């Protein structure tokens, strides 16, 4: 039997139970509304068992695809998994658009997160009334992947680089989505994306190496809390591999994940991921074997081939014919799906507890108010030199400039904005007067140096294909937005629409950049003679299948622009019609204050399928800030983006910096509230802001312990540390005192304004057998204080919260010793501290006489973690010659005389050395290799002399591709 949860009973057992205990309720006809699975007085398991026992095998198989068909004979309607609800319901029409997930998380406010989740759940229910094609209440949110690398293209989708903070916030959001009663679900949230999915570069073929400590202490720790609290109903497996095995067939889905919840979970694949198994991952020979393995691993629902379920259902039937699956496996998966459907109230009268929620909740006044509150709480005051902020409301002559001053951008998982309050509009409403605005971007005309003709756009609202023509005026003019990395967008001055590629021509018909490939991206490449080539840079040009040229030039007799080879590309002069910097400087000169809004475009500066190559502001934006600051010393800067930004020297040059995510429909009102003091900034950073990309190792390096990643291990000087955020008031901390269940500290508002402080508690283990974090968040609490008021803040902390994963025994352990307990307003701003003597245990010396898994090393070099078999297990492979594994503090007793190991793959040798990788050689085991990396043989070696005492044992692997699963030294 798979997994740790109670499984569905056989059809015979179900039938007997129904006859014995439910005979009075069994109807004469299958479609009778009194049918037991429609009886809400029965338990969920009884109802699922009843329904499962009534379905034919084909009907049960039909449930395993994302698009589950109706079963008319039982009166069952269609059901579909996967409504996106990351920060509002997405892709279904106008809806309340809350701040991006990273912005919501920056509030450090679980209560707010739960309220937002509840609002999103209500709106999902409201849309449900408008979706006759099937129930769409399985929501694919939240994303709990840890933000260990800010270059991840999907950074805006996650919450934090810290698992404790991520766990607390995702639990709160999930409880809002579910309604708080797992037996009666408002919606069924699915956590994305299991596991260790934090790079888009080759995301379906790269493998994330997770040594056991990183897996247990870091990556798994982000997923466990919401499932343990029954605030989520399953996980989505991610595209990537972990330790050489695709996550679509990760046995954790059953062996680990189901053990975290007291309810049946519905686990789904990511879109098209099943096809990757026989496709670019080449892990199975066909979709039949792949789908069978996924079901065995713990997948219940296949997201593949869009609405066409025939491939999946056909594969499952073929797998059964080949003996790869049994009907019990199908019952298992179908039972998990039906459990969620029952709990959603689908089979209850009137749709159950939440069945009456209708579309009136969508973008309701209450939700609009909540969106403004969330956008306000999630903004972070990074810098406020000499109390530059808040601005004075009496100074009404204000300029709001910058490329994001008077627009709002949405991301891939945003809903459609029902309205948009831009920063300029919000500030104008705050002051009750008009404000001067300028985007600060150049307006240019592009003239072909060979023909003298200009690139010309259509003047109607729908635009026209670009062409070269003898023309003048706005039809030949384009606003150039610089997003960094050499990428720009071109907005036609003729109709205010962006130029995009439609696979055949370039048309000025886009409201804003967007779409899967963001086909509104260009590069203006300056040549040695001062002319420019116009290069197309839509994301599809980075795909392996793209074979077209990428430069623009006239391709027809009418001068229409198309794609040509570089040699045929047109050379253009870039005639500046209007300087963006000059326009912005003119706008701010003489004003009481200037607000510059800069940042990112969420469709361009990294997004799903595309990581960032740098984290700096676009050069043109940085130049704009400097010019405005020079023209008006009363300049403040708003950075509106979705990730930590290096900012260069800019953060030293400007007196005040306020960060916000792309915060949805109420962005402008929230910024105005903060800039003018109606609200006191209270957001805190959920990631380390680094000074340079050079502070980071490869984005593919997942070992945060060895590579000193995140605030837990980073030894450098951050630009802004994890947990950082300023306020318009000040707070004093008292002494930190131990209580029965944690610690308490008195916090006093010593300023003149009411404000919220986020009290953060960290621990540090002074001495350990293992490398420990420099600091580790264990508890936090957001408190509101009026001027002069004091509150005693209670922070829970127990000895078990100090546990780390002991690789010598594969268990959680709390070591005996001294722990520093630190409390403050950020990870770097510690205000009070205490020491705690913990009566834990001492990890004993390693006993390598027992069979030891090679993956349970203490240190390594030149190795990769790989799949021991396609079903389960992790082995270690040599990625280079003389790779090594270290096993610290090994007790060899009175004398070890033999080494043995299970090896597979390429031929090579295993040297056993003491003290270091080049230390005393005591034995060498030769391995002749096996034809398959999954075929293991035992190799052994006599040790040259009996090795005694306690020492560090090194295994040096010679021969790239040599795999080691287990070993012993006896």
């Amino acid at each position: 039997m798979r997994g740790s949860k109670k499984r569905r009973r056989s059809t015979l057992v179900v039938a007997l139970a129904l006859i014995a205990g439910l005979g009075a309720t069994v109807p004469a006809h299958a479609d009778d509304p009194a049918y037991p699975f429609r009886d809400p007085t029965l338990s969920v398991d009884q109802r699922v068992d009843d329904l499962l026992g009534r379905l034919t095998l084909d009907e049960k198989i039909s449930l395993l695809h994302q698009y589950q068909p109706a079963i008319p004979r039982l009166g069952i309607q269609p059901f579909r998994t996967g409504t996106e609800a990351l920060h509002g319901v997405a892709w279904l029409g106008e809806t309340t658009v809350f701040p991006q997930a990273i912005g919501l998380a920056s509030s450090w406010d679980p209560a707010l997160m739960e309220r937002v989740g509840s609002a999103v759940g209500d709106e999902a229910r409201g849309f449900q009334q408008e979706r006759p094609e099937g129930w769409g209440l399985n929501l694919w949110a939240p994303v709990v992947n840890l933000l260990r690398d800010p270059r991840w293209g999907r950074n805006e989708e996650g919450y934090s680089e810290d698992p404790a903070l991520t766990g607390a916030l995702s639990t709160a959001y999930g409880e809002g989505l579910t309604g708080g009663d797992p037996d009666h679900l408002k919606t069924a949230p699915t956590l994305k994306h299991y596991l260790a999915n934090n790079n888009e570069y080759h995301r379906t073929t790269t493998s994330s190496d997770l040594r056991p400590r990183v897996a247990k202490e870091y990556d798994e720790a982000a997923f466990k809390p919401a499932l343990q609290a029954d605030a989520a109903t399953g996980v989505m497996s991610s595209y990537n591999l972990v330790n050489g095995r695709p996550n679509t067939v990760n046995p954790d889905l059953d062996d680990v994940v189901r053990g975290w919840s007291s309810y049946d979970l519905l686990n789904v694949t990511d879109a098209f991921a099943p096809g990757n198994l026989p496709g670019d991952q080449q892990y199975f020979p066909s979709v039949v074997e792949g789908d069978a393995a996924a079901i065995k691993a713990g997948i219940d629902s296949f997201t593949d081939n869009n609405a066409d379920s025939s491939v999946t259902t056909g594969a499952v039937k073929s797998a059964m014919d080949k003996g790869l699956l049994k009907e019990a496996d199908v019952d298992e998966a179908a039972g998990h799906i039906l459990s969620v459907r029952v709990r959603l109230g689908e089979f209850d009268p009137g749709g159950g507890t939440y069945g009456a929620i209708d579309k009136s909740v969508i973008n309701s006044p209450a939700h609009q108010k909540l969106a403004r509150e969330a956008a306000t709480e999630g903004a972070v005051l990074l810098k406020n030199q000499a109390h530059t902020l808040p601005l004075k409301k009496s100074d009404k002559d204000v300029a709001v400039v910058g490329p994001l001053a008077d627009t709002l951008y949405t991301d891939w998982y945003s809903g459609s904005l029902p309205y948009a309050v831009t920063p300029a509009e919000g500030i104008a409403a705050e002051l009750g007067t008009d404000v001067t605005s300028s985007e600060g971007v150049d307006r240019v005309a592009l003239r072909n140096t060979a023909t003298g003709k200009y690139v010309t756009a259509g003047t109607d609202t729908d635009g026209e294909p670009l062409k070269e023509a003898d023309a003048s005026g706005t039809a030949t003019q384009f606003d150039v937005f610089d997003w960094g990395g050499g990428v720009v967008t071109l907005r036609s001055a003729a109709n205010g629409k962006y130029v995009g590629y439609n696979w055949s021509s370039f048309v000025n018909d886009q409201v804003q950049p967007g779409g899967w490939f963001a086909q509104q991206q260009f590069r203006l490449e300056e040549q040695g003679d001062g002319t420019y080539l116009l290069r197309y840079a839509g994301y599809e040009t980075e795909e392996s299948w793209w074979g077209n040229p990428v430069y623009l030039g006239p391709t027809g007799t009418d001068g229409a622009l198309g794609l040509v080879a570089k040699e045929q590309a047109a050379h253009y002069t870039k005639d500046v019609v209007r300087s963006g910097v000059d326009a912005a400087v003119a706008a701010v000169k003489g004003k009481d204050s200037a607000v510059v809004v800069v940042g990112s475009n969420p469709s361009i500066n990294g997004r799903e399928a595309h990581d960032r190559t740098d984290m700096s502001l676009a050069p043109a934006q940085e130049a704009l800030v400097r010019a405005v600051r020079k023209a008006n010393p009363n300049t403040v800067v708003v950075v509106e983006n979705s990730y930590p930004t290096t900012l260069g020297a800019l953060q030293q040059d400007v007196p005040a910096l306020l960060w916000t995510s792309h915060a949805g429909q109420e962005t402008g009102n929230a910024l105005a509230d903060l800039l003018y003091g109606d609200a006191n900034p209270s957001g805190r950073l959920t990631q380390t802001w680094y000074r340079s990309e050079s502070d980071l190792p490869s984005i593919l390096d997942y070992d945060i312990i060895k590579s000193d990643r995140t605030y837990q291990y980073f030894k450098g000087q951050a630009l802004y540390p994890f947990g950082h955020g300023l306020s318009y008031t000040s707070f004093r901390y008292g002494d930190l005192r131990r209580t029965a269940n944690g610690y308490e500290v008195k916090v006093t508002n010593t300023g003149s304004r009411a404000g919220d402080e986020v009290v953060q508690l960290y621990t540090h283990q002074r001495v350990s057998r293992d490398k420990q974090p420099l600091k580790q968040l264990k508890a936090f609490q957001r408190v509101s204080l009026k001027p002069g008021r004091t509150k005693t803040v209670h922070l829970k902390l127990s000895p078990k919260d100090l546990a780390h994963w002991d690789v010598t025994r594969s268990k959680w352990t709390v070591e005996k010793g001294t722990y520093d307990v630190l409390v403050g307003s950020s990870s770097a701003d510690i205000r009070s501290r205490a020491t705690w003597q913990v009566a834990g245990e001492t990890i004993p010396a390693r006993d390598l006489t027992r069979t030891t898994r090679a993956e349970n090393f203490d240190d390594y070099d030149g190795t990769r973690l790989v799949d021991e078999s396609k079903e389960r297990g992790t082995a270690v492979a040599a990625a280079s010659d003389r790779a090594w594994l270290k096993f610290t503090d090994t007790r060899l007793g009175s004398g070890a005389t033999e080494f043995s190991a299970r090896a597979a793959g390429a031929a090579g040798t295993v040297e056993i050395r003491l003290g270091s990788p080049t230390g005393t050689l005591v034995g060498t085991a030769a391995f002749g290799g096996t034809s398959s990396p999954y075929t293991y043989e035992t190799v052994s070696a006599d040790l040259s002399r009996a090795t005694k005492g306690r020492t560090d044992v090194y295994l040096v692997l010679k021969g790239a591709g040599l795999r080691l699963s287990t070993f012993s030294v006896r």
Side-chain angles (χ1 to χ4, degrees):
M1 300 176 77
R2 299 188 288 116
S4 60
K5 295 291 137 192
K6 181 184 77 68
R7 296 305 172 199
R8 304 267 71 81
R9 292 167 287 174
S10 71
T11 302
L12 176 61
V13 173
V14 172
L16 291 174
L18 289 170
I19 292 171
L22 301 173
T25 65
V26 175
H29 302 287
D31 59 353
D32 192 309
Y35 200 74
F37 73 82
R38 296 191 180 278
D39 185 352
T41 67
L42 300 179
S43 72
V44 173
D45 281 345
Q46 286 175 315
R47 297 174 72 183
V48 171
D49 288 340
D50 172 67
L51 178 52
L52 190 64
R54 307 289 176 173
L55 298 173
T56 68
L57 177 58
D58 282 351
E59 288 168 343
K60 288 183 287 190
I61 292 173
S62 77
L63 301 179
L64 306 188
H65 188 263
Q66 178 184 21
Y67 286 82
Q68 301 171 32
I71 303 175
R73 70 181 186 85
L74 296 177
I76 295 175
Q77 299 299 310
F79 183 92
R80 184 175 74 83
T81 62
T83 294
E84 300 292 352
L86 184 60
H87 54 108
V89 181
W91 306 354
L92 297 182
E94 290 186 355
T95 181
T96 309
V97 178
F98 293 95
Q100 292 176 306
I102 185 66
L104 290 172
S106 297
S107 70
W108 288 59
D109 190 343
L112 174 70
M113 295 290 291
E114 184 172 355
R115 290 163 56 209
V116 172
S118 181
V120 175
D122 284 347
E123 296 203 10
R125 280 278 175 174
F127 276 111
Q128 181 59 45
Q129 302 291 354
E130 307 299 309
R131 296 182 66 186
E133 74 276 11
W135 279 50
L137 296 174
N138 171 233
L139 306 187
W140 288 352
V143 171
V144 298
N145 295 111
L146 293 165
L147 307 181
R148 58 160 194 120
D149 195 309
R151 295 169 297 188
W152 186 34
R154 304 180 75 168
N155 196 85
E156 75 272 7
E157 296 183 35
Y159 288 152
S160 171
E161 67 183 36
D162 182 79
L165 180 58
T166 296
L169 297 178
S170 59
T171 297
Y173 190 69
E175 286 176 342
L177 292 174
T178 64
D181 179 358
D183 283 322
H184 301 91
L185 297 168
K186 182 188 294 185
T187 65
T190 300
L191 303 182
K192 297 162 67 173
H193 312 79
Y194 193 88
L195 180 72
N197 175 204
N198 190 222
N199 66 273
E200 298 302 290
Y201 174 78
H202 291 180
R203 62 179 179 168
T204 64
T205 55
T206 54
S207 180
S208 307
D209 282 18
L210 294 188
R211 58 196 284 196
R213 279 195 65 196
V214 175
K216 297 295 183 183
E217 298 174 22
Y218 194 63
D219 286 278
E220 289 180 15
F223 284 83
K224 184 176 181 180
L227 291 167
Q228 204 166 38
D230 298 319
T233 59
V235 301
M236 173 188 284
S237 59
S238 56
Y239 288 120
N240 60 295
L241 298 83
V242 165
N243 297 346
R245 181 181 297 107
N247 274 325
T248 307
V249 291
N250 189 336
D252 279 5
L253 297 168
D254 250 359
D255 299 346
V256 176
V257 173
R258 294 200 195 278
W260 292 333
S261 177
S262 56
Y263 283 79
D264 277 344
L265 299 179
L266 163 54
N267 294 332
V268 307
T269 73
D270 209 334
F272 299 98
N276 291 334
L277 292 170
D280 55 8
Q281 292 170 342
Q282 292 289 293
Y283 206 70
F284 292 102
S286 76
V287 69
V288 174
E289 288 83 358
D291 283 8
I295 290 173
K296 288 284 192 180
I299 288 295
D300 305 307
S301 177
F302 290 81
T303 314
D304 207 9
N305 300 294
N306 294 318
D308 179 8
S309 63
S310 64
V311 177
T312 295
T313 57
V316 173
K317 291 174 185 177
S318 294
M320 295 185 71
D321 291 341
K322 293 182 177 182
L324 301 175
L325 289 175
K326 299 179 180 178
E327 186 169 356
D329 297 311
V330 174
D331 288 351
E332 185 84 4
H336 296 147
I337 294 166
L338 293 175
S339 175
V340 169
R341 292 180 66 169
V342 166
R343 289 151 60 199
L344 282 168
E346 178 182 351
F347 309 124
D348 291 357
T353 304
Y354 301 101
I357 297 176
D358 61 27
K359 65 180 181 180
S360 65
V361 300
I362 299 173
N363 192 38
S364 66
H367 291 178
Q368 294 173 11
K369 182 179 178 181
L370 181 60
R372 183 170 181 166
E373 182 182 352
T376 304
E377 279 200 22
V380 180
L381 183 60
L382 299 174
K383 180 181 180 181
N384 194 22
Q385 183 178 318
H387 304 290
T388 300
L389 291 174
L391 300 172
K392 296 177 182 179
K393 293 184 184 180
S394 58
D395 294 338
K396 294 182 178 294
D397 194 8
V398 175
V400 185
V401 300
L404 286 87
D406 206 19
T407 189
L408 296 184
Y409 289 113
T410 55
D411 62 39
W412 180 246
Y413 288 104
S414 288
S416 299
L417 292 169
Y419 61 87
V421 182
T422 70
E425 290 170 341
I427 291 172
E430 175 74 27
L431 297 177
T433 185
D434 292 335
V435 299
T436 304
S437 183
S438 168
E439 291 175 312
V441 300
D442 288 344
R443 177 166 290 184
V444 306
L446 300 173
R447 181 177 59 85
N448 188 321
T449 58
T451 66
K453 295 182 179 181
Y454 286 89
V455 175
T456 306
T459 57
D460 60 1
T461 57
D462 294 334
E464 297 291 342
L466 297 191
K467 62 181 180 180
E468 290 185 1
D470 292 317
S472 61
T474 58
T476 65
Q477 298 171 8
F478 299 89
D479 298 323
V480 182
F481 291 79
D482 179 10
W483 299 112
V487 174
V488 301
T489 54
L490 303 174
R491 188 181 64 195
S492 171
N495 66 355
K497 298 291 184 66
Y498 287 86
V499 176
Y501 183 53
N502 62 12
W503 302 100
S504 62
S505 58
F506 294 90
V507 185
N508 58 317
D509 62 351
Q510 304 291 299
V511 174
Q512 66 173 246
W516 180 250
F517 291 115
Q519 294 176 295
Q520 304 82 24
Q521 302 181 83
F522 299 89
R523 296 176 184 270
L524 282 166
E525 296 183 348
E526 186 171 10
Q527 305 302 295
D529 61 359
T531 63
Y532 291 83
L533 301 185
L534 184 56
R535 177 173 180 152
Y536 174 57
Y539 277 140
E540 75 271 27
T541 63
E542 300 175 12
E543 299 290 338
S544 59
W545 47 261
W546 178 264
N548 294 333
V550 293
Y551 289 91
L552 273 67
T555 57
T557 56
D558 63 349
L561 288 185
L563 292 173
V564 298
K566 186 174 184 178
E567 294 75 19
Q568 285 78 49
H571 285 246
Y572 295 106
T573 61
K574 186 175 70 172
D575 303 333
V576 178
V577 178
R578 183 189 64 206
S579 164
V581 167
D582 290 348
V585 166
V588 304
K589 273 188 176 179
K591 302 297 183 182
D592 294 329
S593 57
V595 178
V596 190
V597 189
V598 294
S600 72
N601 185 306
S603 292
I604 293 174
N605 294 105
R607 48 150 293 169
E608 182 172 358
H610 299 279
D611 294 316
R612 271 172 289 281
T613 55
D614 67 71
M615 299 181 294
S616 59
L617 278 181
Q621 293 188 29
E622 190 164 338
L624 174 69
V625 173
R626 294 185 191 281
V628 170
R629 165 72 170 153
K630 184 177 180 180
N632 189 325
N634 299 318
T635 293
V636 298
V637 176
V638 175
V639 179
E640 184 180 343
N641 65 11
S642 317
Y643 49 89
T645 309
T646 51
L647 293 179
L650 189 65
Q651 76 90 29
Q652 297 178 350
D653 296 340
V654 296
L657 282 167
L658 180 69
W659 174 84
T660 178
S661 69
H662 294 281
Q665 62 203 54
E666 288 286 340
T667 298
N669 284 330
L671 288 175
D673 288 342
L674 292 161
L675 292 171
Y676 287 91
D678 289 345
N680 194 340
S682 57
R684 301 291 185 268
L685 298 179
T686 65
Q687 292 176 267
T688 302
W689 281 43
Y690 297 96
R691 293 182 179 274
S692 168
E693 290 84 3
S694 63
D695 289 331
L696 295 167
S698 166
I699 196 172
L700 301 179
D701 183 347
Y702 277 76
D703 189 346
I704 68 163
I705 299 175
K706 187 175 180 67
S707 60
D708 294 331
R709 298 189 81 135
T710 80
Y711 81 94
Q712 292 189 19
Y713 295 96
F714 181 58
K715 297 174 183 176
Q717 184 69 37
L719 180 66
Y720 293 113
F722 175 83
H724 171 75
L726 304 178
S727 170
Y728 293 154
T729 190
S730 56
F731 299 94
R732 182 179 68 241
Y733 284 63
D735 293 335
L736 188 60
R737 300 183 184 278
R738 178 81 181 141
T739 65
N741 64 349
Y743 282 84
E744 65 179 22
V745 63
K746 290 184 177 180
V747 180
T748 302
N749 183 341
T750 57
S752 59
R753 291 175 178 266
D756 285 10
E757 172 72 333
V758 179
V759 181
Q760 303 164 39
L761 185 146
Y762 300 85
T763 62
H764 168 67
Q765 185 174 346
R766 290 187 180 180
V767 178
S768 173
R769 177 198 179 278
D770 301 308
K771 181 178 179 179
Q772 293 294 334
L774 304 172
K775 291 188 185 77
Q776 193 170 17
L777 181 73
K778 296 296 182 182
F780 66 93
Q781 188 175 140
R782 185 183 176 107
V783 293
S784 299
L785 287 168
K786 294 180 179 179
R789 299 298 298 271
T790 299
K791 283 187 179 179
T792 300
V793 180
H794 301 275
L795 299 158
K796 291 184 179 180
L797 183 69
S798 67
K800 69 177 182 180
D801 297 325
L802 304 174
H804 77 278
W805 188 254
D806 173 19
V807 294
T808 71
R809 297 171 294 172
S810 295
K811 57 173 282 190
W812 291 99
T813 186
V814 177
E815 289 183 282
K816 175 183 178 180
T818 302
Y819 293 75
D820 294 314
V821 183
L822 316 165
V823 68
S825 61
S826 83
S827 60
D829 187 2
I830 301 302
R831 306 290 185 86
S832 189
R833 62 183 66 221
T835 57
W836 187 13
Q837 300 298 323
V838 176
E841 64 175 325
T842 299
I843 297 175
R846 275 189 183 270
D847 181 3
L848 296 185
T849 63
R850 300 177 178 177
T851 299
T852 299
R853 297 203 62 81
E855 65 177 310
N856 284 327
F857 50 74
D858 290 292
D859 199 4
Y860 63 97
D861 184 70
T863 62
R864 293 298 307 267
L865 294 172
V866 294
D867 49 342
E868 183 177 8
S869 72
K870 290 194 173 184
E871 291 73 33
R872 55 182 20 87
T874 296
V876 178
S880 60
D881 201 32
R882 297 204 63 80
W884 54 260
L885 302 173
K886 177 184 180 182
F887 298 86
T888 302
D889 189 26
T890 295
R891 186 190 302 276
L892 297 173
S894 59
T897 59
E898 182 184 25
F899 168 84
S900 65
R902 297 283 291 168
T909 61
V910 182
E911 296 179 349
I912 303 91
R913 293 181 177 270
L914 306 181
S916 77
T918 57
T920 302
L921 176 65
V922 296
T924 300
F927 174 57
T930 56
S931 58
S932 166
Y934 305 119
T935 301
Y936 286 83
E937 295 180 354
T938 299
V939 297
S940 60
D942 292 332
L943 303 185
S944 59
R945 57 190 178 87
T947 54
K948 303 179 181 179
R950 293 172 69 164
T951 187
D952 296 339
V953 173
Y954 286 79
L955 303 183
V956 180
L957 310 181
K958 300 180 67 176
L962 167 64
R963 293 185 172 206
L964 207 63
S965 63
T966 62
F967 73 96
S968 63
V969 180
R970 295 185 172 95

